[in-house]
Amino acid sequence: MSTPLAPLAVICAMAQEKAALRALMSHIETRDLLDRKVTLGQLDGHDVVVAESGIGKVASAVMASLIAREFGCRGLVVSGVAGGLDPELHIGDTVIAHSLVQHDYGQLHDAGLKSFRPGVPPLGPDRADFAFTVAPDLVAKLQHIAGDIDLPDLPADLLPASAPKAWRKRRVIMGRILSGDQFINSEVVRERLHRDFDAQAVEMEGAAVAQVGALLGLPVVVVRCLSDLAGTDSHLDFPRFVDAVAPGAAMVLRQIVREL
Ligand code: ADE
């Protein structure tokens, strides 16, 4: 008889993101952890522990550390929504991280922010390795899975508040995901983040959980379905799309768990 694998810790910032995942789970049990309800169960036959952390880098890092230790998890996952940075992407597309950057960590000069690796003093000689990178063998597997997924079309009545882009099949790609304690609601900032970091999506937790994974020696997978495009209309698109796109991340994660 084979030994069961330790569970995966899954962090969702928001209730909608957790609910989308719960809808795909079986054998569900609830446990209390501090002031939170943590959901234990199976996703496609694999044990997972799912927690709603709250929004932002600190909230997600605390919850990831707690549930990883409490339940002896074998890996950390972040599942939910993000703002798109790459103009090639549409609302409803999904980005799986090959690398993650805390875009708000660093040294602030007159000319802007110089990035440093979170955890080291943001001073002194350059630290070029400010990104948390996913191991190449895991990236190769995730890439293969991304290429195989078909997500259902978004409901036809949900058109972006911004000018709708022409219809096409929803894409699932590998890319760089940025995290910071800011909701991006500016075309100028979207363009700068895309250019400076060569990044595809922005959210508020993934790179913090990546830092926890690096400290605990655990692999980290971040899956984000785009609720908005981080520009002038992101404050309108986010509430309009969050419920419709959150299940996209959960569906992609189910496929990942199935095949990893
Ligand atoms: N999560 C979803 N959309 C976002 C945005 N525009 N900025 C930061 N986090 C997000």
Side-chain angles (χ1 to χ4, degrees):
M1 210 170 77
S2 61
T3 326
L5 284 174
L8 287 171
V10 186
I11 309 300
C12 300
M14 299 172 62
Q16 296 95 319
E17 298 167 331
K18 185 177 172 194
L21 208 52
R22 207 175 191 279
L24 302 181
M25 287 169 59
S26 61
H27 303 85
I28 289 178
E29 278 173 52
T30 303
R31 300 262 178 89
D32 290 314
L33 186 65
L34 303 180
D35 64 339
R36 302 274 158 160
K37 300 269 178 236
V38 174
T39 303
L40 281 64
Q42 294 196 338
L43 187 60
D44 215 66
H46 298 271
D47 287 335
V48 291
V49 182
V50 185
E52 178 191 335
S53 63
I55 291 173
K57 303 206 306 291
V58 173
S60 57
V62 168
M63 187 55 83
S65 315
L66 276 176
I67 61 173
R69 283 303 176 99
E70 183 78 18
F71 298 96
C73 295
R74 67 185 162 103
L76 305 175
V77 176
V78 181
S79 175
V81 305
L85 295 175
D86 185 335
E88 296 290 308
L89 296 176
H90 294 194
I91 289 173
D93 290 346
T94 299
V95 182
I96 306 173
H98 61 53
S99 57
L100 294 125
V101 173
Q102 293 179 22
H103 68 83
D104 56 357
Y105 188 88
Q107 191 179 45
L108 198 52
H109 296 267
D110 288 350
L113 187 77
K114 179 174 165 48
S115 293
F116 280 77
R117 189 167 186 83
V120 306
L123 292 173
D126 287 6
R127 290 287 307 264
D129 58 342
F130 56 78
F132 294 95
T133 52
V134 177
D137 56 333
L138 182 52
V139 170
K141 284 183 193 160
L142 294 170
Q143 176 83 65
H144 178 75
I145 295 166
D148 253 9
I149 300 178
D150 268 333
L151 290 176
D153 294 344
L154 291 179
D157 56 327
L158 272 184
L159 289 174
S162 49
K165 291 193 178 181
W167 183 91
R168 62 153 169 71
K169 190 163 110 52
R170 291 169 72 184
R171 292 173 62 189
V172 181
I173 63 155
M174 302 293 297
R176 171 167 288 182
I177 296 181
L178 307 183
S179 310
D181 287 316
Q182 299 151 349
F183 181 83
I184 308 301
N185 189 192
S186 155
E187 186 54 27
V188 173
V189 177
R190 182 209 63 74
E191 211 273 319
R192 178 173 60 72
L193 291 175
H194 175 55
R195 187 191 57 234
D196 288 357
F197 292 103
D198 193 16
Q200 278 61 54
V202 63
E203 34 83 315
M204 301 176 70
E205 296 85 18
V209 175
Q211 187 176 354
V212 173
L215 280 169
L216 299 183
L218 293 174
V220 175
V221 173
V222 180
V223 181
R224 293 293 195 176
C225 193
L226 303 185
S227 54
D228 59 83
L229 300 176
T232 320
D233 289 325
S234 63
H235 65 305
L236 302 174
D237 287 334
F238 176 85
R240 189 174 169 100
F241 284 94
V242 63
D243 290 329
V245 303
M251 284 182 243
V252 171
L253 181 58
R254 177 176 56 183
Q255 194 68 23
I256 291 172
V257 165
R258 185 179 284 166
E259 295 192 28
L260 270 189

